Amino acid sequence: MKILVVSQYYHPEQFRITDICETLVSLGHEVVVLTGLPNYPQGKIYPGYTWPKRRYEVISGVKVIRVPIIGRGNNFIRLAMNYVSFLLTATIKTLFLKKDFDIVFVYQLSPITMAIPALLYKKLTGKKVLLYCLDIWPESIAAAGIGQSSYIYKFLLAISRKIYKNVDRILVSSYSFIKYFKDIIGIELQPINYLPQHAEEQYYLDINHATREKGDKGTVNLLFAGNVGEMQSVETIIRAAAELRAIDQLKWHIVGDGSARLKCEELVKHLGLEDKVIFYGHRPVSEMPQFFSMASALLVTLKNNEFISYTLPGKVQSYMAAGKPIIGAINGEARRVIEESGCGLCCDAEDYKALANIVKQFISIPEKHKEFALNSRKYYEENFTKDIFIKGLLNNLNKLIERC
């Protein structure tokens, strides 16, 4: 197939779309990616991509077309400008793309408007559009504080409905999204299929090696890895750390960057936890195995929001691929997966006291750690491998092409 991929984010930004595209190329498909200038999560355009550099690249066989966008910055206004700028420049660029692609694949994170250039290409050529939904809109933005009665929410809901109803097939990364699309968006005609994310091969650690703690002797290392944004509720981890400050052997590690990192670092200082909670900032995927190997357990948190709880964060797949116990302060889909797999312990989202309690419970049952780790890997291999994902994606792409 000749596939046009539309995604606002791509390498060197760390999203799985890069691994997906490179795998498709390795299988003999031609892939062209329409994307923006890299600026996530720091909010500034990456060095080496300022005007007019690197607008066309070939990365591991993938042809990458970049359109200019405004960096997302660290406030709502800049974020809105970032979203709108990609919509405008990518839409204009779409008018000049070759019309010989077999299909369009949208890797839909936030914002949903990144799918509009794909729908324009559909209108110009009649080609089908497959949308892979990882963030449900407008709930992903509403969780940041936009009320459902506001004009902004209603406007975004109208746009989201129009986009979701005009693509030809929707893949969802969480079972819970199917209910949202049917009940809230009102999807009736398009097929909606469940296709969970996979983890990159770098995360796949030797299970025996991975379950041996690599920190100082006797230290229990708990690690959070990923975006440190408002939705991730990393402050829940920090407040749990404050509750357990008396446990000398307990260390908390935060690997990642994002809009809430500065606020979280200030909270650590305010609570006097500088010796307990360590921030590492943004690190490349290639360094994650050494962090995961060091960890006794991996942490996942999200805000206490009904629709956000529908999301299954991609870090869960990474954690499971590494064969690690998982401790979560989280509701909904991720909690279902953790409890169904038997890979760790969970409590309610944003309940830092409950998180502190299950961390104490985890420390008190070292004999269960290996069992958690084995269950984690087993569930990953049965549900989340790259092979499962790529086969599912190709099956859906081919079905759409056959309908053309």
Side-chain angles (χ1 to χ4, degrees):
M1 288 177 279
K2 185 173 182 179
I3 306 166
L4 173 62
V5 176
V6 179
S7 171
Q8 185 167 331
Y9 313 96
Y10 198 76
H11 177 86
E13 295 166 312
Q14 294 183 10
F15 290 92
R16 291 198 170 100
I17 184 58
T18 302
D19 189 48
I20 293 168
C21 290
E22 292 178 359
T23 301
L24 290 173
V25 167
S26 73
L27 293 173
H29 304 285
E30 183 177 349
V31 179
V32 177
V33 178
L34 178 62
T35 189
L37 300 179
N39 68 106
Y40 182 95
Q42 295 93 335
K44 298 179 180 179
I45 303 300
Y46 284 26
Y49 287 89
T50 53
W51 182 261
K53 299 177 181 177
R54 300 169 79 170
R55 293 301 185 266
Y56 298 91
E57 295 183 280
V58 178
I59 305 173
S60 299
V62 180
K63 299 174 184 177
V64 182
I65 302 171
R66 300 189 188 274
V67 296
I69 60 174
I70 297 170
R72 60 193 287 124
N74 57 7
N75 58 60
F76 183 79
I77 294 175
R78 280 293 298 273
L79 182 61
M81 293 170 65
N82 173 260
Y83 289 172
V84 171
S85 63
F86 179 77
L87 166 61
L88 293 176
T89 58
T91 297
I92 293 170
K93 188 66 181 179
T94 300
L95 296 171
F96 301 95
L97 292 176
K98 292 182 179 180
K99 305 301 188 288
D100 59 346
F101 292 98
D102 297 312
I103 196 164
V104 187
F105 175 49
V106 180
Y107 189 79
Q108 186 250 303
L109 294 151
S110 290
I112 180 61
T113 50
M114 72 170 67
I116 291 177
L119 292 176
L120 173 61
Y121 191 86
K122 174 183 176 178
K123 186 173 183 178
L124 293 172
T125 65
K127 298 302 171 63
K128 302 292 186 181
V129 176
L130 174 66
L131 183 143
Y132 185 35
C133 177
L134 295 100
D135 287 337
I136 51 174
W137 266 64
E139 305 309 332
S140 293
I141 196 73
I146 298 175
Q148 293 186 351
S149 61
S150 70
Y151 288 114
I152 294 176
Y153 176 86
K154 292 176 181 178
F155 174 71
L156 292 173
L157 178 60
I159 290 176
S160 300
R161 279 182 173 148
K162 190 169 184 63
I163 291 172
Y164 287 132
K165 288 184 176 184
N166 278 280
V167 301
D168 298 286
R169 184 180 293 251
I170 297 173
L171 302 180
V172 294
S173 56
S174 166
Y175 268 125
S176 301
F177 285 5
I178 298 175
K179 174 178 171 59
Y180 179 82
F181 278 122
K182 291 183 177 179
D183 294 350
I184 306 299
I185 300 299
I187 296 291
E188 296 177 353
L189 299 178
Q190 302 99 314
I192 304 174
N193 296 331
Y194 173 61
L195 184 63
Q197 296 188 78
H198 70 287
E200 293 89 343
E201 294 173 357
Q202 294 97 317
Y203 291 104
Y204 202 87
L205 303 180
D206 176 80
I207 192 70
N208 293 311
H209 177 74
T211 54
R212 292 199 300 268
E213 294 175 11
K214 308 299 284 186
D216 298 332
K217 186 175 182 180
T219 301
V220 176
N221 294 295
L222 303 181
L223 173 71
F224 173 94
N227 184 41
V228 185
E230 294 297 332
M231 297 304 104
Q232 284 70 39
S233 191
V234 174
E235 60 268 25
T236 301
I237 296 172
I238 296 167
R239 294 193 182 279
E243 292 287 307
L244 301 178
R245 69 170 75 237
I247 303 178
D248 292 335
Q249 75 268 33
L250 184 57
K251 299 288 186 182
W252 308 74
H253 307 267
I254 312 295
V255 180
D257 204 350
S259 60
R261 178 183 168 187
L262 180 59
K263 181 175 72 172
C264 289
E265 289 178 335
E266 290 173 348
L267 180 59
V268 166
K269 292 178 182 178
H270 174 72
L271 296 173
L273 296 170
E274 292 95 328
D275 62 332
K276 305 291 290 184
V277 181
I278 305 163
F279 288 86
Y280 297 86
H282 175 75
R283 296 298 179 95
V285 171
S286 60
E287 291 186 16
M288 297 316 298
Q290 68 187 63
F291 284 105
F292 280 25
S293 183
M294 167 268 289
S296 310
L298 300 170
L299 300 166
V300 57
T301 52
L302 278 179
K303 286 182 70 68
N304 183 17
N305 175 280
E306 177 187 359
F307 295 113
I308 292 300
S309 73
Y310 288 179
T311 302
L312 179 60
K315 64 169 58 67
V316 172
Q317 281 88 345
S318 301
Y319 289 178
M320 287 184 155
K324 285 291 183 175
I326 301 175
I327 298 175
I330 198 162
N331 301 333
E333 186 74 5
R335 183 165 184 165
R336 178 190 70 80
V337 168
I338 294 168
E339 292 179 343
E340 184 175 278
S341 65
C343 72
L345 303 170
C346 274
C347 67
D348 291 343
E350 294 192 73
D351 189 340
Y352 67 89
K353 290 189 177 182
L355 178 57
N357 285 335
I358 62 173
V359 167
K360 284 196 295 185
Q361 181 184 348
F362 178 80
I363 294 172
S364 71
I365 51 172
E367 70 279 2
K368 295 279 289 183
H369 295 184
K370 185 66 176 288
E371 179 184 337
F372 288 151
L374 292 172
N375 288 343
S376 189
R377 174 63 65 75
K378 181 174 184 289
Y379 196 89
Y380 174 82
E381 292 178 342
E382 292 175 350
N383 298 275
F384 298 142
T385 65
K386 183 197 285 192
D387 187 54
I388 292 172
F389 177 87
I390 293 296
K391 285 181 178 178
L393 176 61
L394 288 173
N395 181 54
N396 280 279
L397 289 168
N398 280 314
K399 283 182 177 179
L400 277 183
I401 290 176
E402 290 169 2
R403 287 171 48 194
C404 290

Coordinates of all heavy atoms in Angstrom, one line a residue, residues 63-97:
K63 N 9.0 8.7 4.4 CA 9.1 10.1 3.9 C 8.3 11.0 4.8 O 7.1 10.8 5.0 CB 8.5 10.2 2.5 CG 9.3 9.3 1.5 CD 8.7 9.2 0.2 CE 9.4 8.2 -0.7 NZ 8.8 8.1 -2.1
V64 N 8.9 12.1 5.3 CA 8.3 13.0 6.3 C 8.2 14.4 5.7 O 9.2 15.0 5.3 CB 9.1 13.0 7.6 CG1 8.4 13.9 8.7 CG2 9.3 11.6 8.2
I65 N 7.0 14.9 5.7 CA 6.7 16.2 5.3 C 6.3 17.1 6.5 O 5.3 16.7 7.1 CB 5.6 16.3 4.2 CG1 6.0 15.4 3.0 CG2 5.3 17.7 3.8 CD1 4.8 15.2 2.0
R66 N 7.1 18.1 6.8 CA 6.8 18.9 8.0 C 6.2 20.3 7.5 O 6.8 20.9 6.7 CB 8.0 19.1 8.8 CG 8.6 17.8 9.3 CD 9.7 18.1 10.3 NE 10.4 16.8 10.7 CZ 10.0 16.0 11.6 NH1 8.9 16.3 12.3 NH2 10.7 14.9 11.9
V67 N 5.2 20.7 8.2 CA 4.6 22.0 8.0 C 4.9 22.9 9.2 O 5.0 22.4 10.3 CB 3.1 22.0 7.7 CG1 2.8 21.2 6.5 CG2 2.3 21.4 8.9
P68 N 5.1 24.2 9.0 CA 5.4 25.1 10.1 C 4.2 25.2 11.1 O 3.0 25.3 10.7 CB 5.6 26.5 9.5 CG 5.0 26.4 8.1 CD 5.0 24.9 7.7
I69 N 4.5 25.2 12.4 CA 3.5 25.4 13.4 C 4.1 26.3 14.5 O 5.3 26.4 14.6 CB 3.0 24.1 14.0 CG1 4.2 23.3 14.7 CG2 2.3 23.2 13.0 CD1 3.7 22.0 15.4
I70 N 3.2 26.8 15.4 CA 3.7 27.6 16.6 C 3.9 26.6 17.7 O 3.0 25.7 18.0 CB 2.6 28.6 16.9 CG1 2.4 29.6 15.8 CG2 2.9 29.3 18.2 CD1 1.2 30.5 15.9
G71 N 5.0 26.7 18.4 CA 5.3 25.9 19.5 C 4.2 25.9 20.6 O 3.6 27.0 20.8
R72 N 3.9 24.8 21.2 CA 2.7 24.7 22.2 C 2.9 25.5 23.4 O 2.0 25.8 24.2 CB 2.4 23.3 22.5 CG 3.5 22.5 23.1 CD 3.3 21.0 23.1 NE 2.3 20.6 24.1 CZ 1.2 19.9 23.7 NH1 1.0 19.6 22.5 NH2 0.3 19.6 24.7
G73 N 4.2 25.9 23.7 CA 4.4 26.8 24.9 C 4.0 26.1 26.2 O 4.0 24.9 26.3
N74 N 3.6 27.0 27.2 CA 3.2 26.4 28.5 C 2.0 27.1 29.0 O 1.8 27.1 30.3 CB 4.4 26.6 29.5 CG 4.8 28.0 29.7 OD1 4.2 28.9 29.1 ND2 5.9 28.3 30.4
N75 N 1.1 27.5 28.1 CA -0.2 28.1 28.6 C -1.3 27.8 27.6 O -1.0 27.3 26.4 CB -0.1 29.6 28.8 CG 0.3 30.4 27.6 OD1 -0.4 30.4 26.6 ND2 1.4 31.1 27.7
F76 N -2.5 28.0 27.9 CA -3.6 27.6 27.1 C -3.7 28.3 25.8 O -4.0 27.7 24.7 CB -4.9 27.8 27.8 CG -6.2 27.3 27.1 CD1 -6.5 25.9 27.0 CD2 -7.0 28.2 26.4 CE1 -7.6 25.5 26.3 CE2 -8.1 27.7 25.7 CZ -8.4 26.4 25.7
I77 N -3.3 29.6 25.8 CA -3.4 30.4 24.6 C -2.4 29.9 23.5 O -2.7 29.7 22.4 CB -3.1 31.9 24.9 CG1 -4.3 32.4 25.7 CG2 -3.0 32.7 23.6 CD1 -4.1 33.9 26.1
R78 N -1.1 29.6 24.0 CA -0.1 29.1 23.1 C -0.5 27.7 22.6 O -0.3 27.3 21.4 CB 1.2 29.0 23.8 CG 2.0 30.3 23.9 CD 2.4 30.8 22.5 NE 3.3 29.9 21.8 CZ 4.7 29.9 22.0 NH1 5.2 30.9 22.8 NH2 5.4 29.1 21.4
L79 N -1.1 26.9 23.5 CA -1.5 25.5 23.0 C -2.6 25.6 21.9 O -2.6 24.9 20.9 CB -2.1 24.8 24.2 CG -2.5 23.3 24.0 CD1 -1.4 22.5 23.5 CD2 -3.1 22.7 25.2
A80 N -3.6 26.6 22.1 CA -4.6 26.8 21.1 C -4.0 27.2 19.8 O -4.4 26.8 18.7 CB -5.6 27.8 21.6
M81 N -3.0 28.1 19.9 CA -2.3 28.6 18.7 C -1.6 27.4 18.0 O -1.5 27.3 16.8 CB -1.3 29.7 19.0 CG -2.0 31.0 19.5 SD -0.9 32.2 20.2 CE 0.1 32.6 18.7
N82 N -1.0 26.6 18.8 CA -0.3 25.4 18.3 C -1.3 24.5 17.5 O -1.0 24.1 16.3 CB 0.3 24.6 19.4 CG 0.9 23.3 19.0 OD1 0.3 22.2 19.2 ND2 2.1 23.3 18.5
Y83 N -2.4 24.2 18.1 CA -3.4 23.4 17.4 C -3.9 24.0 16.1 O -4.0 23.3 15.1 CB -4.6 23.2 18.3 CG -4.3 22.3 19.5 CD1 -5.3 22.1 20.5 CD2 -3.2 21.5 19.7 CE1 -5.1 21.3 21.6 CE2 -2.9 20.7 20.8 CZ -3.9 20.6 21.7 OH -3.7 19.8 22.8
V84 N -4.2 25.3 16.2 CA -4.8 26.0 15.0 C -3.7 26.1 13.9 O -4.0 26.0 12.7 CB -5.3 27.4 15.4 CG1 -5.7 28.2 14.1 CG2 -6.5 27.2 16.3
S85 N -2.5 26.4 14.3 CA -1.4 26.5 13.2 C -1.2 25.3 12.5 O -1.0 25.3 11.2 CB -0.1 27.0 13.9 OG 0.4 26.1 14.8
F86 N -1.2 24.1 13.1 CA -1.1 22.8 12.4 C -2.3 22.6 11.5 O -2.1 22.2 10.3 CB -0.9 21.6 13.3 CG -0.8 20.3 12.5 CD1 0.4 20.0 11.9 CD2 -1.9 19.5 12.4 CE1 0.5 18.8 11.2 CE2 -1.8 18.3 11.7 CZ -0.6 18.0 11.1
L87 N -3.5 22.9 12.0 CA -4.7 22.7 11.1 C -4.6 23.6 9.8 O -4.8 23.0 8.7 CB -5.9 23.2 11.9 CG -7.2 23.4 11.1 CD1 -7.6 22.1 10.5 CD2 -8.3 23.9 12.0
L88 N -4.2 24.8 10.0 CA -4.1 25.7 8.8 C -3.0 25.3 7.8 O -3.2 25.1 6.6 CB -3.9 27.1 9.3 CG -5.0 27.8 10.0 CD1 -4.7 29.2 10.5 CD2 -6.3 27.8 9.2
T89 N -1.8 25.1 8.3 CA -0.7 24.8 7.4 C -0.8 23.4 6.8 O -0.4 23.2 5.6 CB 0.7 25.0 8.1 OG1 0.7 24.1 9.3 CG2 0.9 26.4 8.6
A90 N -1.2 22.4 7.6 CA -1.4 21.1 7.1 C -2.5 21.0 6.0 O -2.4 20.3 5.0 CB -1.6 20.1 8.2
T91 N -3.6 21.8 6.3 CA -4.7 21.8 5.3 C -4.2 22.4 4.0 O -4.5 21.9 2.9 CB -5.8 22.6 5.9 OG1 -6.3 22.0 7.1 CG2 -7.0 22.7 4.9
I92 N -3.5 23.5 4.0 CA -2.9 24.1 2.8 C -2.0 23.1 2.1 O -2.1 22.9 0.9 CB -2.2 25.4 3.2 CG1 -3.2 26.5 3.7 CG2 -1.4 25.9 1.9 CD1 -2.5 27.7 4.2
K93 N -1.1 22.5 2.9 CA -0.2 21.5 2.3 C -0.9 20.4 1.6 O -0.5 19.9 0.5 CB 0.8 21.0 3.3 CG 1.9 20.1 2.8 CD 2.8 21.0 1.9 CE 4.0 20.2 1.4 NZ 4.9 21.0 0.5
T94 N -2.0 19.9 2.1 CA -2.8 18.8 1.6 C -3.2 19.1 0.2 O -3.3 18.2 -0.7 CB -4.0 18.5 2.5 OG1 -3.6 18.2 3.8 CG2 -4.9 17.4 1.9
L95 N -3.5 20.4 -0.1 CA -4.0 20.7 -1.5 C -2.9 20.4 -2.6 O -3.2 20.2 -3.7 CB -4.3 22.2 -1.5 CG -5.5 22.7 -0.7 CD1 -5.5 24.2 -0.6 CD2 -6.8 22.1 -1.2
F96 N -1.6 20.3 -2.1 CA -0.5 20.1 -3.1 C 0.1 18.7 -3.0 O 1.0 18.5 -3.7 CB 0.6 21.2 -2.8 CG 0.1 22.6 -3.0 CD1 -0.4 23.3 -1.9 CD2 0.0 23.2 -4.2 CE1 -0.8 24.6 -2.0 CE2 -0.5 24.5 -4.4 CZ -0.9 25.2 -3.3
L97 N -0.5 17.9 -2.2 CA 0.0 16.5 -2.1 C -0.4 15.7 -3.4 O -1.4 16.0 -4.0 CB -0.6 15.8 -0.9 CG -0.1 16.3 0.5 CD1 -0.8 15.6 1.6 CD2 1.4 16.1 0.6

